[in-house]
Amino acid sequence: MRFELVKRPQHSKLFSALSPFIALVLTVICGALIFAALGKSPVDGLYYYFVEPLLEVWSLHELAIKAAPLILIAVGLSVCFLSNNWNIGAEGQFVAGAIAGSILPVMFPDFQNAFVLPLMLLMGIAGGAAYGAIPALLKTRFGTNEILTSLMLVYVAQNFLDWLTRGPWRDPAGNNFPLTRRFHADAVLPELFPSSGSAHWGIVFALVAAVAAWFMISRTIKGFEVRVLGESPRAGRFAGFSAKRMVFFAFLLSGGLAGLAGISEVAGAIGYLQPVISPGYGFTAIIVAFLGRLNPLGIVAAGLVLGLTYLGGEAAQISMGLSDKVARVFQGMLLFFVLGCDTLIHYRIRLVRDALTAKRS
Amino acid sequence: MQQSADVRPALLETRGLTKVFGTLTACDGIDLTIRRGEIHALLGENGAGKSTLVKMLFGSLEPNAGEILWDGQPVRIPSPGDARKLGIGMVFQHFSLFEALTAAENIALSLPEKVPVSTIAERARTLSQAYGLPVDPSMLVGDLSVGERQRIEIIRCLLQEPQLIILDEPTSVLTPQEADRLFQTLERLRAEGKSILYISHRLEEVKRLCDAATVLRHGKVVAHCEPRLETAASLARMMVGNAVQAVKREPVAAGTAAEALLEIRGLNRLPATPFSIPLRDVDLTVHAGEIVGIAGVAGNGQSELFEAVSGEALQREASTIRIRGKDAGRLTISGRRLLGAAFVPEERLGHGAAPGMRLSENLLLSRHRTDRRAFFSRLGVVFTGAVRKASQRIAADMDVRKSGSDPEAAALSGGNLQKFIIGRELDRQPSVIVVNQPTWGVDAGAAARIRQALVELARAGSAVLVISQDLDELFEISDFIAVMHDGRLSNPMPTADATSEAIGLLMGGAEPGHAAHEAAA
């Protein structure tokens, strides 16, 4: 006896639209079960996790800070995934962008004027894009699998940052802590509403990127090229589009946006470089991209939901003494259920009784 | 070998087997008798219904009417598993082997029960010796030649101890030497009393090997015969049919002053994959106002030729392909379109059209460069309204029947989608159009509409190159016919002088002119 996935002749439009919400509900139900299994009250758990962070203004600012990099990265990834390029290394491009963007404030701290911040942002974009170009080059030139190369490059970038902050870039006046010098005032990304909370311009970049990407994908010839090459490579070749150039376009765009997210995080929320600058934004953004159905506007909503899981994880740690790893569990369940729902929209499960195996067992 | 076939008992019989797809009757009342210990040939052009018939025998398709008798007993074959249990084995034309696994592991994967790989390797080795199928079960499939891969498929089939073995175009991928070895194996199997259903277009090998033959044309049995008593020419005539329509219009005289719009000079191309055919010294000129047809059995280099001419594959020399007198060999498909050429590939879904995209978006697929001004702003923003309107106009011109105003390509029937794809190109009034299989799998009404449109385009002064496996179609619309065989193209002959017999022989590879090419290569 075995299970087979049989393609449905037609998939339901209704359930395609509902699938992210079904996935959310299933995640909440399973979350409640996990809280119960841990011996905590599921009601309290869900409250601290999903409701409490939304009740305070400063907390909403925190949500914007967490959602900004998720949305920025996921928008780039959606273009990548739509064109059938699997960039799993946004986390590395995020770090590369943060490092490249930090060159000015860390190595040239005396260079202080109004040009510093724009230059940092551009260098962050360039750094992320250049780092994304490596798997693109390997894929087009040598036919390597971009999933593996982009993922492995994440660890290279993380270890490089670790070495930098403990070695050459360590703040001489920093009591031997593995931190760079604090960015000077011209190198800090300003807060949007300093009176009410600490949300910085990163969320604005994210929203602008989402709208621009949505317009590009749905209204321009470039977006058409992305979708054709992703859906049907042979038809793309017939149209005269180059699959190789698309690999570079997708990786440079998603790498650049991840780099922008990286430098925004460092210049906005943190203010200096340290060995670890991301709680896995680059990986969580993959979930955001799929939860948002690879639609940049959907990704804005999905980014807020996933941002909430980070805040909820912190809140549950403080209020209930749960490990912050619970946040990762929630994110994992969410991706699992989104992909599961999508699969079941396109396929149904059939139970096959195999006469031969039945006889033998 | 025993004598007169009729004394041997029948192993498998079909009576009135019929399969209908929509408006197309792929198999129409097929009567077939395969006796024990006989190699039975199934002959027919592409689209004659051979694969449909075989799929019904192997349980992949269910017949709409008629019955199948196995050993005289009526049987139902709902799945390939049931076919195997009856004792029917099949060796497919395209192999399903994992290159990263060994031959024995590949065989193990296909067996329903769990047997240790070492046992299978042992059994495979025994079989390979017994039947003269030299192959080492411990070799990685990726390192094996195409002929050796086929032997694995045959061994895999023999392990199930079938009474009837179906071979689909087994020699199409083999070298002559490998084919000879295969024939010896088949003769040994016949001597053991096993039956073989042998599907092929190659008339000489059918004559040499087979005891009986059933010829299909347009889904019907047109003849049962004994191939040894026939000539290749008479077999070809049965396959292709005598009833060739009279050419509808005055053929263009060779060497007229008409401008050469498409020129192919000494086109060579190495095979891109193990299953593709190299192109060898292809020469062809298509003048303004004429339709040149390329006939040939599928898989003799037609798709490779299409890719080369369309620019999906580039040439080394720019002068190899000339479009409207300009060198185009180094231009991409977009560059060739800008010179005034248009292309229609064989596969509709996934090549000529993106299945999940709307018709209007599929219009952009081939016209985003040539109609840039009409469809985009300077910054590349699509004028959705203009594109929709153009696609509606094409749908109306070509009588495309669709549900909704702008449905996804995959929602259209094959014929209607093909009308849209052809209309999309004709709407540009191209000076050169290259069409691969214009009416493949298209119902009769749509096929007539498409042919008419191609003739009108040529009449209006364009050069039309049609690659088709449907000889009737080529006789109907072309001024000249050339035949593609094994990557070579014969000299085009005026359709008025061509007979179906001559074309059929060329399709089987018999052209004296080829010998000279061989020596040169």
Side-chain angles (χ1 to χ4, degrees), chain A residues 7-51:
Chain A
K7 201 161 171 75
R8 293 180 197 269
Q10 270 183 327
H11 61 264
S12 154
K13 289 258 183 330
L14 174 67
F15 276 94
S16 293
L18 283 181
S19 116
F21 301 99
I22 299 174
L24 267 176
V25 170
L26 288 171
T27 306
V28 167
I29 293 172
C30 286
L33 291 176
I34 289 175
F35 286 131
L38 288 169
K40 312 282 179 187
S41 153
V43 176
D44 286 354
L46 292 176
Y47 174 80
Y48 287 126
Y49 221 88
F50 290 110
V51 182

Side-chain angles (χ1 to χ4, degrees), chain B residues 94-413:
Chain B
H94 293 292
F95 311 143
S96 44
L97 297 170
F98 293 100
E99 297 201 347
L101 299 180
T102 67
E105 285 164 346
N106 264 291
I107 295 172
L109 276 178
S110 70
L111 295 180
E113 65 266 48
K114 289 197 173 59
V115 183
V117 173
S118 57
T119 320
I120 287 170
E122 206 41 56
R123 281 165 68 190
R125 202 165 273 132
T126 320
L127 274 175
S128 79
Q129 277 157 7
Y131 291 101
L133 294 160
V135 65
D136 180 353
S138 61
M139 290 277 281
L140 282 183
V141 167
D143 297 334
L144 298 178
S145 74
V146 176
E148 286 170 312
R149 291 180 198 201
Q150 187 183 54
R151 283 177 217 144
I152 300 171
E153 290 273 5
I154 295 176
I155 290 171
R156 177 149 97 173
C157 175
L158 289 177
L159 271 174
Q160 320 250 9
E161 293 172 1
Q163 291 303 304
L164 171 66
I165 301 163
I166 303 173
L167 292 155
D168 189 4
E169 309 258 352
T171 55
S172 60
V173 291
L174 299 185
T175 65
Q177 292 75 17
E178 285 175 327
D180 279 340
R181 203 171 281 165
L182 173 70
F183 297 155
Q184 287 167 14
T185 304
L186 297 184
E187 276 160 7
R188 200 167 307 178
L189 286 166
R190 166 169 63 189
E192 285 182 4
K194 296 202 192 299
S195 308
I196 292 162
L197 182 60
Y198 190 87
I199 303 164
S200 182
H201 308 275
R202 301 196 178 182
L203 306 173
E204 286 301 335
E205 70 187 37
V206 167
K207 261 173 67 63
R208 170 180 159 190
L209 188 69
C210 300
D211 309 292
T214 298
V215 187
L216 297 185
R217 191 166 72 227
H218 298 319
K220 291 199 173 78
V221 174
V222 290
H224 293 287
C225 64
E226 209 168 316
R228 293 200 180 86
L229 306 179
E230 303 288 334
T231 63
S234 68
L235 286 173
R237 207 162 38 230
M238 283 185 226
M239 267 170 62
V240 175
N242 288 315
V244 174
Q245 282 95 333
V247 180
K248 288 200 306 188
R249 63 213 137 85
E250 291 296 303
V252 184
T256 46
E259 192 190 349
L261 292 182
L262 174 66
E263 295 162 84
I264 306 172
R265 291 284 161 268
L267 171 63
N268 283 287
R269 188 177 169 205
L270 295 172
T273 71
F275 290 110
S276 59
I277 304 288
L279 295 178
R280 308 167 216 246
D281 293 324
V282 173
D283 281 305
L284 188 69
T285 304
V286 188
H287 298 95
E290 69 186 21
I291 300 185
V292 173
I294 296 184
V297 171
N300 270 287
Q302 293 96 325
S303 335
E304 288 80 1
L305 177 68
F306 179 84
E307 284 181 352
V309 176
S310 68
E312 288 179 285
L314 299 188
Q315 285 73 50
R316 224 171 297 140
E317 295 289 330
S319 60
T320 307
I321 308 272
R322 290 167 65 82
I323 294 170
R324 287 171 65 210
K326 298 199 178 64
D327 289 348
R330 298 296 303 160
L331 295 181
T332 62
I333 189 166
S334 293
R336 295 179 198 202
R337 285 189 180 122
L338 287 172
L339 285 180
F343 308 98
V344 177
E346 176 179 4
E347 285 283 326
R348 288 184 278 273
L349 289 176
H351 192 176
M357 294 197 158
R358 298 178 177 284
L359 280 192
S360 57
E361 295 179 296
N362 271 301
L363 172 64
L364 291 181
L365 198 66
S366 71
R367 294 190 40 186
H368 62 95
R369 280 301 294 278
T370 51
D371 299 66
R372 182 170 252 175
R373 296 241 174 93
F375 294 153
F376 304 107
S377 77
R378 291 174 64 108
L379 290 171
V381 179
V382 181
F383 298 144
T384 320
V387 179
R388 286 253 166 90
K389 227 163 115 190
S391 76
Q392 300 294 357
R393 178 181 71 222
I394 291 165
D397 280 357
M398 289 301 285
D399 185 26
V400 176
R401 316 236 169 105
K402 54 193 169 59
S403 54
S405 70
D406 197 11
E408 290 180 1
L412 265 66
S413 76

Side-chain angles (χ1 to χ4, degrees), chain A residues 2 352-359, chain B residues 11-12 36 57-59 70-71 75-90 110-113 157 159-164:
Chain A
R2 65 180 192 277
V352 180
R353 263 175 232 284
D354 196 285
L356 278 164
T357 40
K359 216 188 300 164
Chain B
L11 176 67
L12 179 126
R36 285 191 179 276
L57 296 182
F58 197 58
W70 180 259
D71 259 341
V75 287
R76 241 187 94 237
I77 309 177
S79 77
D82 293 281
R84 275 187 219 110
K85 263 179 257 165
L86 271 183
I88 302 177
M90 173 135 188
S110 70
L111 295 180
E113 65 266 48
C157 175
L159 271 174
Q160 320 250 9
E161 293 172 1
Q163 291 303 304
L164 171 66

Side-chain angles (χ1 to χ4, degrees), chain A residues 86-325:
Chain A
W86 299 96
N87 180 4
I88 308 298
E91 181 81 0
Q93 292 138 24
F94 178 93
V95 171
I99 294 174
S102 303
I103 290 175
L104 282 183
V106 174
M107 298 181 74
F108 306 97
D110 299 331
F111 180 61
Q112 299 192 3
N113 56 43
F115 294 111
V116 173
L117 189 65
L119 277 175
M120 284 168 63
L121 295 176
L122 288 177
M123 287 165 76
I125 294 173
Y131 209 63
I134 301 173
L137 182 72
L138 293 173
K139 179 178 182 180
T140 50
R141 187 81 183 73
F142 302 106
T144 48
N145 182 317
E146 75 273 23
I147 297 177
L148 293 178
T149 52
S150 64
L151 178 61
M152 290 192 289
L153 283 166
V154 170
Y155 306 109
V156 175
Q158 286 175 341
N159 284 313
F160 183 65
L161 173 64
D162 190 272
W163 173 76
L164 272 181
T165 50
R166 291 174 201 279
W169 280 15
R170 189 173 51 187
D171 182 3
N175 299 326
N176 249 351
F177 278 106
L179 309 172
T180 64
R181 68 177 81 237
R182 184 166 280 280
F183 292 2
H184 54 79
D186 283 335
V188 169
L189 199 58
E191 293 173 352
L192 283 175
F193 310 105
S195 54
S196 62
S198 53
H200 55 76
W201 276 79
I203 188 74
V204 177
F205 298 157
L207 296 176
V208 170
V211 172
W214 169 81
F215 186 78
M216 194 259 303
I217 290 172
S218 58
R219 291 284 183 274
T220 69
I221 181 69
K222 193 70 196 171
F224 176 68
E225 184 179 342
V226 168
R227 288 181 292 131
V228 170
L229 281 170
E231 189 199 302
S232 171
R234 192 127 189 251
R237 198 176 52 165
F238 178 70
F241 298 139
S242 158
K244 283 192 177 178
R245 257 186 258 156
M246 180 51 64
V247 173
F248 276 101
F249 176 78
F251 270 89
L252 290 178
L253 181 75
S254 59
L257 287 176
L260 177 62
I263 187 59
S264 302
E265 178 76 5
V266 173
I270 307 177
Y272 46 82
L273 277 181
Q274 56 190 20
V276 175
I277 54 170
S278 156
Y281 287 136
F283 295 115
T284 308
I286 298 171
I287 308 173
V288 174
F290 279 105
L291 189 65
R293 314 202 68 71
L294 302 184
N295 176 332
L297 299 185
I299 282 171
V300 172
L304 291 170
V305 170
L306 267 294
L308 187 59
T309 62
Y310 279 117
L311 290 187
E314 288 170 7
Q317 191 177 13
I318 295 163
S319 317
M320 306 174 71
L322 286 173
S323 161
D324 64 341
K325 295 286 183 288

